[in-house]
Structure formats: C-alpha cells, structure tokens
Amino acid sequence: MKKIAIISVVYNNYSILKDFLNSLGSQNNKNFKLFISDLSDNKKTINIKNFESQIVTDKNKGFAYGVNLAIKKAIEEGYKYFCVINNDTSFKSTFIDDAFLSFNKYPGSIIGGKIYYSSGFEYHKKRYLKKHKGNVIWYAGGYTDWNHAITIHRGVDQIDKGQYDKPQETGSITGALMLFNIDVINKLGFMDESYFLYFEDADYCIRALNKNIKLIYNPLLKIWHKVAQSTGGSGSDIHVRYQTINQLKFGLRYAPLRTKLHLLKNFIYRFLKGL
C-alpha cells in the first residue's frame, strides 16, 4: 500500500501547529505519516493522537537540514512519496487523496499546488473585502527573475476567479508545498543545507530543471498559508537577513554576470549599513 511521508520542520513557534495538525487529523485518507523535524531551542511536547507521526529532534541547522533529516528518516522506514509542507498551513479533508492523484499523474516530477493566504494573513489586508478573505492567491506557479535572482509567484495578491485552474509545467515551486517521489531524490539528491533558510527551494528547482525533472503546478492541491509566521512574519529581522544573504548565494551560483555584479553591489551596501 502506498503511503505518503508528510515532511515538516518546527522551530520554536509551536502555536502555529494547531490548524496544521487538525487538518491532517481530518483527512479522509489516512495513508500517510507525519515526520516532524523539531529544531527548536527549547523543545516542547507535541501531542498528536489522530494519525501516525514521528518527531525527530536536533539542533537548529536550518530549514533544508530539517527537511533532509525527516526525509532520510522516512526513507529508512521505506517511504517513497514525500510531501514537504509548512506547518503554518491548513487544508481540506481531501488533501491526501489529491496528493495521491498528483503522484499518479505526474510521476518523477516535483509538484506544487495552489496556495492561498490564510484569512487575515494577506499582505495587503485593506485591499480586499471580507468575502474575499481566504480566496486571495499567494502562489499559483512561479518563475525565476534572473535580472534580480528572485523567484516570482504567479497570481500573488490576486483574488482567485479560476484564472489559474489549469495544471501546467512551471519554472519554480515554493518549499511551502513541494511533492516528489523517491525517483526525484535518486536523481537529484537532497536540498542544499548551506542555505540555512530561504532559497533552498529555488536552488532545488533549478537543479531539477538542469536534470530534466519537470516542475508541475497542479491547482487540484490547495492549502492556506499563514505566510512567514514560522519566522516571525514578513519583514522580520530574520526574514530580511536570510532572504538577502541567500539571494546573493543563489544569484552567484546561477544568475548571469550582470546580475551577480548587481547583487554584490547591493549586498556590500547593506552590509555597510549594518545588515
């Protein structure tokens, strides 16, 4: 019987887990196991009763390290299907069913889904009517802007009117929701742990494309995301710091020369200003 390893990383913010665990507990299909890498400084007990789970603990060596740690544990137990997902998310009771459909339809690919802002967590909160909350897109496919070495989310901040309901190949998949099977790991390996936080997903996608592994946007998969809550929210010091550092790392590795020079100039300026 096929089972999916749900892979997630916890760092200090245990309060965000409630909706995530409730979503998993409500699934129609129970053929999954949650593997949590708890990298918190002061670890607390995570009570999980309604489904199979395993918590792996270690020091905080970054998001990619936590993902890899949990995946390796799942592989040891014989799992061949993996769903990396942020735990500041929630989803409907059909999520696991939809994940299996995605694995069957797009074998050997990396798969992303349609991601909404959780209601009340929109970046432009005053832009939307109350009826639009929970229906504002955060990610519906993506691509890399090589002029700036950043990934761009298609549809971000748009109200969902069905404009991104067609599955298709895409240029970038966010690590907030990323599905793949063991064949992808055998070809590609694990995430690059040197990024610590942010851009490890962008790097993984570029490596995949370079090995002719397809990136698939499948809107059948839907989740709601409390964006950046696991790192203190958008604009927090840790958010800005690691975004800046790893944008430079990512750009120096893959971007055109002109972009590399631009990134170095900006980084030196920010460093002198006290990044």
Side-chain angles (χ1 to χ4, degrees):
M1 179 182 294
K2 292 181 180 178
K3 293 184 71 175
I4 298 174
I6 306 294
I7 306 296
S8 201
V9 180
V10 173
Y11 179 67
N12 290 344
N13 195 351
Y14 292 94
S15 62
I16 63 175
L17 292 174
K18 182 178 178 181
D19 290 340
F20 176 68
L21 296 178
N22 285 343
S23 293
L24 286 173
S26 70
Q27 291 303 299
N28 299 331
N29 189 332
K30 301 295 186 181
N31 290 318
F32 68 90
K33 180 176 178 178
L34 172 62
F35 291 83
I36 288 182
S37 287
D38 187 351
L39 308 182
S40 303
D41 297 322
N42 298 302
K43 294 175 174 59
K44 299 180 180 179
T45 300
I46 303 173
N47 293 312
I48 303 173
K49 299 178 181 179
N50 298 327
F51 53 87
E52 195 175 1
S53 64
Q54 184 171 347
I55 298 171
V56 187
T57 60
D58 207 334
K59 295 179 180 179
N60 182 23
K61 301 177 185 178
F63 177 77
Y65 174 81
V67 168
N68 293 343
L69 183 68
I71 289 177
K72 289 172 184 176
K73 179 61 67 173
I75 290 174
E76 287 177 9
E77 296 189 12
Y79 283 81
K80 297 181 179 180
Y81 299 89
F82 310 93
C83 172
V84 177
I85 184 170
N86 278 24
N87 47 54
D88 55 356
T89 60
S90 59
F91 34 89
K92 294 181 178 179
S93 60
T94 58
F95 179 79
I96 295 297
D97 286 320
D98 296 335
F100 276 116
L101 290 173
S102 298
F103 282 123
N104 290 335
K105 190 170 184 179
Y106 307 108
S109 302
I110 299 177
I111 309 162
K114 185 186 287 186
I115 305 178
Y116 300 93
Y117 290 96
S118 294
S119 179
F121 289 85
E122 299 83 4
Y123 187 76
H124 302 284
K125 291 182 173 60
K126 297 181 179 180
R127 180 182 294 181
Y128 309 104
L129 299 175
K130 185 177 180 180
K131 66 180 181 180
H132 295 143
K133 298 297 180 68
N135 198 42
V136 179
I137 295 169
W138 182 70
Y139 171 89
Y143 63 93
T144 303
D145 172 4
W146 289 116
N147 290 324
H148 303 91
I150 57 173
T151 55
I152 304 296
H153 289 192
R154 187 178 68 154
V156 64
D157 298 325
Q158 296 180 22
I159 297 168
D160 186 11
K161 299 179 180 178
Q163 65 270 46
Y164 303 114
D165 281 353
K166 182 180 179 181
Q168 62 183 78
E169 291 188 34
T170 191
S172 181
I173 293 174
T174 170
L177 178 64
M178 182 181 283
L179 288 73
F180 47 85
N181 65 15
I182 193 68
D183 293 337
V184 170
I185 294 175
N186 289 339
K187 292 178 182 178
L188 197 56
F190 296 93
M191 288 188 178
D192 185 341
E193 297 174 9
S194 68
Y195 282 93
F196 193 82
L197 184 65
Y198 300 122
F199 281 90
E200 67 287 307
D201 49 358
D203 181 275
Y204 204 61
C205 287
I206 297 302
R207 287 163 51 199
L209 291 173
N210 288 341
K211 288 188 175 292
N212 297 314
I213 296 171
K214 292 182 179 179
L215 308 180
I216 302 293
Y217 163 69
N218 184 11
L220 177 68
L221 290 165
K222 296 182 177 69
I223 65 171
W224 283 259
H225 185 18
K226 301 179 181 72
V227 177
Q229 292 308 295
S230 57
T231 55
S234 296
S236 67
D237 289 343
I238 190 171
H239 183 266
V240 172
R241 181 170 183 265
Y242 282 107
Q243 282 276 5
T244 303
I245 292 170
N246 287 332
Q247 179 188 16
L248 176 64
K249 180 182 181 68
F250 177 74
L252 291 178
R253 182 173 289 181
Y254 298 112
L257 178 60
R258 179 179 177 181
T259 302
K260 292 177 181 178
L261 295 174
H262 176 71
L263 289 172
L264 280 169
K265 178 182 176 180
N266 284 348
F267 184 82
I268 292 170
Y269 175 79
R270 290 189 180 189
F271 180 79
L272 294 174
K273 289 290 185 178
L275 174 67

